[in-house]
Amino acid sequence: MSAHNVVFGFGAHSGFDDIPELLRMAQQADRDGLDIFTLSDHPYIGGRVDAYAALGFILGRTQHIAGFANVTNLPTRPAPMLARTVTSLSALSGGRIVLGMGAGGLWDRIADMGVPRLTAGDAVDAFEEAIVLVKKLSGGGPPVTYQGNHYQVNRIEPAPVAAPPVWTGSVGPKSLAATGRVADGWIPGHAADWLSGRYRASRPIIDEAAASVGRDPSEIRTIFNFPGRITDRPLPATRDGDGRWLGGSVGQWVEELTGAVLEHGASGFTLFSADHGAPDLTVLARWAQEIVPSVREAIAK
């Protein structure tokens, strides 16, 4: 992908009214060389397009950019079927898919869909089992029998396609440890960047869990959902009193993101607008055409 394997993308709206704009943004980002686009997955909201239907549609209308649900609402998408979905999308798109995974947060709404409610602990256990099972049901090989506490399959043939990278939206200690044991990347949470308390407290849990099962912690990427304004002139302060990134000029963005990669090990950035929504086409163009190439050049030196 990008220099030093750092990825750059954007987060988009997925409402029915947003479909034309969503396609225009994804196609512009594809032409401009961005690596990823993301959609949220809230199937209990009737005004939103199904995330995986939208991913398939957009991947079919683009050539290079990868897509993922940020993050998949796992309780409403059973792991064996999710494995079939993501391996099929990978085969259809030439590998342009990432599996974003979450244990499920809005359980009142999830239960409204007829899904049995799980305790927080059980939801994380199911989340870890699901990641393991998706990987087992990918990459070919003999039929899989898996008997977990939450998922059981009997002699199911894996797809002859490698599993996509799995990036999680883990927050709590148990979920973070699961990420370290079985996932490939971590999305710390909206606006939780490399200088935030959440990142500093959470990343060591992932690293320790990875090391405990013989994994190299550096193999688990950190991809930040990153809001902020792009201004014509430098701002006097690029962060607020609580240390949250506000944005700034192109030069200020480049300096900040280059430092995040070289000094803090950041592996990717997904741009959202300053109000945590989707950037408009003008902001997306400045991100893709001005900021991203400069960061890539700086980290490649």
Side-chain angles (χ1 to χ4, degrees), residues 232-250:
D232 292 330
R233 297 181 179 180
L235 295 181
T238 57
R239 291 180 177 270
D240 65 18
D242 295 324
R244 285 181 176 268
W245 173 254
L246 299 172
S249 66
V250 169

Side-chain angles (χ1 to χ4, degrees), residues 239-296:
R239 291 180 177 270
D240 65 18
D242 295 324
R244 285 181 176 268
W245 173 254
L246 299 172
S249 66
V250 169
Q252 288 174 315
W253 276 87
V254 171
E255 181 180 5
E256 184 78 21
L257 300 192
T258 300
V261 174
L262 299 181
E263 299 170 19
H264 300 281
S267 298
F269 309 95
T270 302
L271 178 71
F272 289 80
S273 71
D275 61 1
H276 296 183
D280 63 30
L281 283 166
T282 301
V283 172
L284 181 61
R286 295 198 71 185
W287 167 247
Q289 298 172 15
E290 301 179 45
I291 295 172
V292 171
S294 296
V295 177
R296 285 175 172 159

